[in-house]
Amino acid sequence: MARFISRRLFHLIFILIGVSVLVFLMVRLIPGDPAHLLVGEFASPEDVSRIREKLGLDQSYPYQYYIYVKNLLKGDMGRSIRSNVPVSQEIFVRFLATVELSIAAMIISSCIGILAGVISSARQFSTFDYVSMVMALVGISMPIFWLGLMLMYLFSVKLGLLPLMGRFTMGLDYHSMTGLVLLDGLLTGDFQLFLNALKHLVLPAFTLSTIPMAIIARMTRSSMLEVLSKDYIRTARAKGLSQGAVIFKHALKNAFLPIITVIGLNFGLLLGGAVLTETIFSWPGLGRYVVDSLMARDYPAVQGCILFFSVIMVMVNLVVDILYFYLDPRLRIDGKG
Amino acid sequence: MEKAEILVELKKNKSAMAGLVIIAMLVALAVIGPWISPYHPLIPDPINRLKGPSWAHLFGTDSLGRDILSRVIYGSRISIIIGLIAVSISLIPGTLLGLLSGFYGRKVDEPIMRTMDIMLAFPAILLAIFITAILGPSLLNTMIAVGIVYIPHYARIVRSSVLSLKEQLFVQAVRSLGGSNLRIIALHIFPNTLPPIIVYATLGMGTAVLQAAALGFLGLGAQPPTPEWGAMLSEGRQYIQNAPHVAAFPGLAIFMLVLGFNLFGDGLRDILDPSLR
């Protein structure tokens, strides 16, 4: 186990160095001079060169990279050109909004996806199986930015059941404790805030959950079908166990490995999807921030966000790998050998 | 599997046939678009701004009074071309890298696959956004960005096929007969990697269309007045409260095209490469 984790950690460090080099180079390839942006259009050439010197942009690329990594290791991602606030601070605040949205989407997609997949496999070739797999294909094919807009029109504009956008109603008395509004509402016993935040969360979370939900449903179904054809399931049935016990105790437990992998790997999809969902629903998360920063050519912010997104993705992949290794005893034996 | 067998299997596969019908209809629409579209897709008609669906304008009109049906019809050309070019951009280098990486092993494999790992560490849409920011927002750059993002996926799939193929008896036989590496790769290994490539490329067309539309939606793809579906949807977003049809129809068109490719790709996978399921 330790050998496996250390090997994966070495791989992770290598990937992170590669990602940092790539992000560093790509940001420098974006047209436009950051110094110019910082001092404004009408600044004198002297001012521009002073800022270039201050930012270290007059140095060679290897030296600039060295400074960049040195600062990064201290948690310093530079300052946002727009707000002059440290990028790490901006990222942290927005990241919590994205976490809240992603977790909600992950819960919705896992619950509905696994349930649909299990029922489909237990009733293979039934109407439910057929309909749920068609729905899964529809879910994978649907542009989430379109789905989001249509849901917004139906539930917010037409029916008036849910709020149009944002994280909670402006003007509501909210003091952040954890940065997760729902959790803060629960912790402080402020149910008005909790309900308000929940209503705001429903549409973006559901929109974001559709693609992972479809993928999880398909994977659960195929994984369950494979397990259900095994001899030990026949034995369990022959013992007279109920259908529920066979499905949930024996089959689902053994079909869980690929499902967990898919749930973990879908995290990348959620992060990518958050860029679009947050833009549609004006959700103040990291996805929307990165798009806004790019539009405003706020390079330190873009650089910080993309690096942060990649680190999260790589870490999630590592956790999935370790979990997989932990859950599958065969891998543990192979890993030792 | 022989070509004739594949065609027979394809005809039997409901999913593949449904996908093929959708794709064929949209391709036909793209080809004959200029002859059947009721209005010019770019000429504004200020008197008929944001009109809902009617007999005169089946899909309604947009904020400049342009007929949405005509724009959707013209947009089908753009989306299909985006899909084809983006997939080619990922497919060709991805396949080459996968072949080299899998065949030559360690010294070639390590640098190629580690580079691919680094690219895969970025969420796809973010990397595409980043590349578009470097190249500048345009239709061509959208295709390039989406194409580059998916190179690692093809490289991985081809590499894993090559790894198993190169150990097989027929490859060793050619080698013992003095066949050069180039000959083995080009004539014996590459043709056998085609089934998974075809399946992935078909599914990849749907993904490419979706990603390109997403870039268009974010304002990083085709620029106005090009009738690209993602950009049209983005414009419709501003009028979602009063004129939802402006966003509804371009979105529906994206969905249909992607669904077509996914259905066809799923069917193809069942026939050509069940192991990918």
Side-chain angles (χ1 to χ4, degrees):
Chain A
M1 183 83 174
R3 206 172 121 191
F4 170 79
I5 293 177
S6 60
R7 210 169 54 212
R8 291 294 288 120
L9 277 176
F10 176 74
H11 187 237
L12 179 119
I13 291 167
F14 174 82
I15 297 283
L16 289 181
I17 294 172
V19 165
S20 71
V21 172
L22 199 60
V23 171
F24 172 83
L25 289 175
M26 283 173 85
V27 165
R28 269 138 195 88
L29 285 174
I30 298 178
D33 182 2
H36 247 111
L37 279 168
L38 210 61
V39 287
E41 245 182 293
F42 304 108
S44 65
E46 291 77 32
D47 286 340
V48 175
S49 62
R50 191 171 45 79
I51 290 292
R52 285 182 64 80
E53 206 174 306
K54 193 182 160 196
L55 293 175
L57 295 171
D58 55 339
Q59 304 287 342
S60 67
Y61 274 5
Y63 187 74
Q64 281 186 46
Y65 179 73
Y66 164 71
I67 298 293
Y68 163 66
V69 172
K70 207 172 96 179
N71 290 336
L72 210 57
L73 291 174
K74 287 188 278 182
D76 179 6
M77 293 177 162
R79 281 176 179 271
S80 157
I81 291 179
R82 283 173 299 167
S83 62
N84 201 30
V85 172
V87 170
S88 49
Q89 208 173 308
E90 296 255 32
I91 286 179
F92 183 69
V93 176
R94 285 168 177 84
F95 178 59
L96 291 173
T98 301
V99 165
E100 191 166 49
L101 180 61
S102 303
I103 289 177
M106 190 57 95
I107 292 171
I108 297 173
S109 59
S110 303
C111 291
I112 301 180
I114 292 176
L115 197 68
V118 168
I119 299 175
S120 280
S121 63
R123 296 181 188 168
Q124 198 186 3
F125 304 127
S126 66
T127 312
F128 182 90
D129 182 26
Y130 183 71
V131 171
S132 67
M133 286 307 112
V134 168
M135 288 305 291
L137 202 67
V138 166
I140 291 171
S141 309
M142 203 173 303
I144 60 167
F145 41 99
W146 178 64
L147 175 71
L149 283 175
M150 294 299 110
L151 290 175
M152 191 191 254
Y153 175 71
L154 181 66
F155 290 100
S156 307
V157 179
K158 259 296 198 231
L159 302 173
L161 291 174
L162 295 164
L164 203 56
M165 50 183 70
R167 213 173 159 198
F168 54 87
T169 307
M170 281 301 181
L172 212 65
D173 188 28
Y174 170 60
H175 303 287
S176 175
M177 281 167 65
T178 61
L180 306 172
V181 185
L182 270 185
L183 193 63
D184 285 346
L186 274 182
L187 290 176
T188 55
D190 186 348
F191 289 104
Q192 194 199 346
L193 174 70
F194 177 79
L195 274 179
N196 189 284
L198 190 65
K199 277 186 172 178
H200 278 83
L201 185 63
V202 173
L203 286 185
F206 182 77
T207 304
L208 188 55
S209 73
T210 47
I211 294 180
M213 190 194 298
I215 296 173
I216 292 169
R218 282 164 67 128
M219 177 50 91
T220 307
R221 180 181 179 272
S222 67
S223 181
M224 281 289 288
L225 283 177
E226 202 184 319
V227 172
L228 285 172
S229 65
K230 293 269 160 68
D231 283 343
Y232 60 83
I233 296 294
R234 206 175 306 147
T235 312
R237 285 209 167 109
K239 274 196 314 188
L241 285 183
S242 68
Q243 171 82 337
V246 171
I247 298 284
F248 289 100
K249 270 193 180 167
H250 294 258
L252 187 57
K253 207 170 145 191
N254 286 298
F256 230 69
L257 266 183
I259 301 172
I260 284 189
T261 314
V262 160
I263 291 175
L265 295 178
N266 270 324
F267 206 79
L269 267 180
L270 284 183
L271 290 181
V275 174
L276 297 163
T277 315
E278 289 176 3
T279 305
I280 299 161
F281 290 98
S282 299
W283 189 265
L286 207 51
R288 190 177 149 214
Y289 181 66
V290 72
V291 174
D292 289 348
S293 303
L294 207 66
M295 297 295 181
R297 298 192 175 274
D298 189 344
Y299 300 137
V302 173
Q303 184 168 281
C305 285
I306 295 192
L307 191 68
F308 188 76
F309 265 120
S310 310
V311 171
I312 296 290
M313 208 150 134
V314 173
M315 297 294 274
V316 169
N317 285 347
L318 176 75
V319 172
V320 172
D321 270 2
I322 293 174
L323 209 63
Y324 201 97
F325 192 84
Y326 180 74
L327 288 174
D328 192 340
R330 288 167 303 180
L331 285 178
R332 260 180 279 163
I333 292 161
D334 287 349
K336 272 177 193 168
Chain B
M1 201 183 257
E2 291 298 316
K3 274 183 196 165
E5 272 180 87
I6 295 172
L7 279 177
V8 172
E9 287 293 319
L10 209 59
K11 277 184 190 165
K12 277 194 245 164
N13 191 303
K14 281 181 194 163
S15 160
M17 288 319 287
L20 200 59
V21 168
I22 296 174
I23 298 169
M25 277 166 60
L26 286 167
V27 169
L29 203 64
V31 173
I32 60 168
W35 291 280
I36 59 159
S37 75
Y39 298 89
H40 194 282
L42 304 179
I43 297 175
D45 179 8
I47 300 166
N48 286 313
R49 288 178 73 246
L50 298 174
K51 287 273 160 64
S54 65
W55 284 113
H57 298 279
L58 284 178
F59 287 3
T61 62
D62 67 7
S63 61
L64 294 175
R66 294 171 299 196
D67 181 55
I68 293 176
L69 174 63
S70 306
R71 287 176 67 75
V72 166
I73 291 174
Y74 272 85
S76 62
R77 290 182 154 203
I78 296 171
S79 284
I80 290 169
I81 290 171
I82 287 177
L84 284 172
I85 295 181
V87 166
S88 309
I89 291 173
S90 14
L91 182 80
I92 298 166
T95 305
L96 276 174
L97 291 170
L99 283 170
L100 294 174
S101 187
F103 188 79
Y104 288 104
R106 211 160 179 82
K107 277 187 183 162
V108 181
D109 185 35
E110 279 292 320
I112 292 177
M113 291 325 285
R114 293 301 79 83
T115 310
M116 299 295 110
D117 283 348
I118 292 168
M119 285 175 75
L120 285 169
F122 296 90
I125 185 78
L126 265 189
L127 188 57
I129 290 174
F130 210 179
I131 296 171
T132 322
I134 294 169
L135 301 174
S138 78
L139 198 59
L140 178 68
N141 293 341
T142 300
M143 299 182 225
I144 297 173
V146 174
I148 291 174
V149 166
Y150 288 98
I151 289 175
H153 295 248
Y154 290 90
R156 275 191 164 186
I157 284 174
V158 174
R159 177 183 174 268
S160 68
S161 290
V162 175
L163 283 178
S164 68
L165 283 168
K166 76 172 182 181
E167 299 302 331
Q168 288 192 17
L169 213 56
F170 71 93
V171 173
Q172 286 170 15
V174 179
R175 201 192 296 275
S176 63
L177 286 170
S180 67
N181 283 344
L182 189 68
R183 191 184 171 85
I184 294 173
I185 294 176
L187 297 180
H188 300 279
I189 290 188
F190 174 64
N192 284 297
T193 58
L194 279 175
I197 296 179
I198 293 170
V199 171
Y200 201 81
T202 313
L203 293 167
M205 281 285 290
T207 315
V209 169
L210 264 184
Q211 295 282 20
L215 289 178
F217 178 76
L218 293 170
L220 294 164
Q223 297 300 300
T226 314
E228 194 270 322
W229 292 341
M232 287 167 70
L233 225 163
S234 176
E235 191 216 336
R237 189 180 154 217
Q238 300 167 49
Y239 306 102
I240 193 70
Q241 303 207 40
N242 310 317
H245 66 274
V246 182
F249 291 109
L252 202 60
I254 300 170
F255 166 61
M256 288 307 292
L257 184 59
V258 178
L259 182 69
F261 283 118
N262 283 347
L263 278 167
F264 188 56
D266 260 11
L268 268 184
R269 178 174 48 193
D270 292 346
I271 298 162
L272 293 176
D273 195 355
S275 65
L276 275 176
R277 218 190 292 190

